[in-house]
Amino acid sequence: MKMDKKLSIPAIAVRNLSAKKVRTAFMMFFVILMSATFFFSTILMNNLELGIANTTERMGADMIVVPRDGTETMRESLFAGTPCTLFFDRAWEDAVRNVQDVERVSAQLYIGTLSASCCDAAVQMIAIDQETDFVVTPWLEDNDLKRLEIGEVIVGNNVDAEVGDRITFYEIDFKVAGKLEATGMGYDNSVFLTYETAYSLKDSSIAKEHFPVENIENLISLIMVDVADYTERGIGHIQVDIKDAYSNGESVKAFTSDELMSSIASQVKKLSGYGSILTNLLMISTALALISIFVITINERKYEFGVLYTLGAKKAQMTGIILSEALIISAVGGVVGISVSYFLVSTFKNMISVRLDIPYFNIDMNQVLPIAGLCILIAVLTGIIAAVCSAYKISKGEAYRLIRESE
């Protein structure tokens, strides 16, 4: 029978794969698993590292003064927005302001709300002094938000409330005057208000049960510090002076932004290392499994290739068929794995962010495309290696031997 047209090598590969759907799906499954795992783990680690970078860069102060005993809770609040209630004597603010080479200071008050009926959400309430604040106020201005009045709050991007809504904390209603754009740090899970608004918590019986609201006017939680630009003294000397600026039995510590976040950065680096090891082990295992399946499959197809050799096919053509099959499986599997992983991450982004305490979880195309390209490249390279191993085994045999071995 005369052939109307010649089949190209890719066309033959497609027909071979279509004829053995179960075998093809089984091999593709390993590629999908490898691509999806690598894509998700890389996105996760990148966002953890970017979250730390955002928190450090957007802190907006040269130094941050916090109670020594509350360092860890404050660090978690700044990074992930984990609610905390932390106090020390407000007299520290004036003491720090008088330290040599300190240019400006502004205190903030941190009050954590509860996961209870008295509060609409468990968030971090942050009271600021609009007259001295130089960290949060510029963001409000960038978002075209007006000055806060008594009884008003501005919510972070992740807080479930919109402008004009009423939101309740400790059974006291507040009006939502604005909503910040995403910052990529703990502020996204926070609520901002003035000190005067925070003092209204003195009227809450529930608040009285959880922290000393009677003395709230004399309490702060941290001090943002800007240092003079042209000081001849090093940061270390100023930090020591701040620590010794006021003696009332309390112990505070002054951190630079990098120092405050160094512990979390170290944890993320360690987690990233462990994650990379596990991901690489999974990828190697999957790649070896894929190569083994290819080799086993080729062994089962010796008769097929022997017949093709008998009909005049060249070894280069056989190699091309095997390579085409591997490229189709790895490319399609890579795209499917990335697509499935991206869909799941997009769908459950908020849940993943909350469960893993990741304040910054960005999956826009500028970040995703390079990672997706790398995943597909790895999948294709794995397929090529599997094809080369299989093709080498076939190329060593003669036609009659391939047919005899399959009998």
Side-chain angles (χ1 to χ4, degrees), residues 275-311:
S276 296
I277 292 172
L278 292 174
T279 301
N280 290 335
L281 286 175
L282 178 61
M283 288 179 59
I284 292 171
S285 301
T286 305
L288 290 175
L290 186 63
I291 291 170
S292 300
I293 293 171
F294 257 97
V295 173
I296 293 171
T297 300
I298 293 300
N299 282 334
E300 295 175 349
R301 297 170 63 190
K302 285 181 178 178
Y303 182 83
E304 172 190 335
F305 288 111
V307 170
L308 289 174
Y309 274 142
T310 303
L311 294 174

Side-chain angles (χ1 to χ4, degrees), residues 14-322:
V14 170
R15 290 196 175 191
N16 288 342
L17 295 174
S18 300
K20 299 291 183 179
K21 293 183 175 61
V22 174
R23 182 186 69 195
T24 301
F26 188 61
M27 289 189 290
M28 198 170 289
F29 169 77
F30 282 93
V31 182
I32 292 172
L33 178 64
M34 179 177 66
S35 301
T37 302
F38 183 76
F39 180 82
F40 175 75
S41 61
T42 304
I43 287 286
L44 186 64
M45 290 303 118
N46 281 1
N47 277 286
L48 279 170
E49 293 170 0
L50 286 171
I52 293 174
N54 275 347
T55 304
T56 302
E57 291 173 5
R58 299 188 179 191
M59 204 73 75
D62 295 327
M63 284 187 289
I64 301 168
V65 181
V66 297
R68 183 179 292 274
D69 294 339
T71 299
E72 194 60 37
T73 54
M74 182 58 68
R75 183 181 287 128
E76 292 175 359
S77 180
L78 288 169
F79 176 66
T82 305
C84 74
T85 300
L86 185 66
F87 299 132
F88 66 111
D89 193 343
R90 186 168 195 139
W92 276 99
E93 183 178 9
D94 288 332
V96 171
R97 184 177 285 110
N98 292 325
V99 169
Q100 181 183 351
D101 294 323
V102 168
E103 188 170 89
R104 56 181 177 172
V105 302
S106 183
Q108 296 179 359
L109 181 67
Y110 276 54
I111 300 172
T113 65
L114 307 174
S115 297
S117 59
C118 67
C119 302
D120 286 342
V123 298
Q124 181 68 70
M125 298 180 74
I126 303 176
I128 61 172
D129 183 344
Q130 294 185 110
E131 301 303 323
T132 63
D133 177 74
F134 55 89
V135 175
V136 178
T137 301
W139 294 358
L140 304 185
E141 294 172 352
D142 290 342
N143 284 265
D144 296 324
L145 300 175
K146 63 184 181 67
R147 286 176 60 87
L148 284 165
E149 302 296 335
I150 297 177
E152 293 182 337
V153 297
I154 290 176
V155 299
N157 190 261
N158 293 340
V159 178
D160 187 18
E162 300 299 330
V163 177
D165 291 349
R166 306 294 297 187
I167 192 167
T168 302
F169 300 116
Y170 294 107
E171 295 187 337
I172 296 178
D173 287 342
F174 302 91
K175 180 182 177 182
V176 178
K179 187 165 187 173
L180 286 172
E181 293 181 358
T183 63
M185 58 186 293
Y187 285 174
D188 290 338
N189 301 314
S190 301
V191 171
F192 299 91
L193 62 164
T194 64
Y195 276 102
E196 291 75 19
T197 300
Y199 297 158
S200 65
L201 294 175
K202 295 176 69 172
D203 299 327
S204 168
S205 59
I206 297 177
K208 291 178 182 178
E209 295 175 4
H210 290 87
F211 50 89
V213 291
E214 296 84 358
N215 190 39
I216 196 170
E217 293 93 341
N218 299 316
L219 300 175
I220 55 175
S221 302
L222 66 79
I223 304 172
M224 295 290 188
V225 180
D226 254 3
V227 176
D229 292 336
Y230 302 105
T231 177
E232 295 180 357
R233 298 196 306 154
I235 288 291
H237 293 290
I238 300 174
Q239 288 174 312
V240 171
D241 288 349
I242 288 175
K243 186 182 69 171
D244 298 332
Y246 179 61
S247 178
N248 68 335
E250 290 179 322
S251 179
V252 302
K253 188 162 184 178
F255 294 92
T256 64
S257 298
D258 289 335
E259 289 172 342
L260 187 61
M261 302 309 298
S262 62
S263 175
I264 291 179
S266 178
Q267 293 174 12
V268 169
K269 187 175 181 180
K270 186 182 296 184
L271 177 63
S272 179
Y274 291 148
S276 296
I277 292 172
L278 292 174
T279 301
N280 290 335
L281 286 175
L282 178 61
M283 288 179 59
I284 292 171
S285 301
T286 305
L288 290 175
L290 186 63
I291 291 170
S292 300
I293 293 171
F294 257 97
V295 173
I296 293 171
T297 300
I298 293 300
N299 282 334
E300 295 175 349
R301 297 170 63 190
K302 285 181 178 178
Y303 182 83
E304 172 190 335
F305 288 111
V307 170
L308 289 174
Y309 274 142
T310 303
L311 294 174
K314 299 179 181 179
K315 291 184 177 180
Q317 292 174 312
M318 296 298 97
T319 300
I321 292 172
I322 296 171

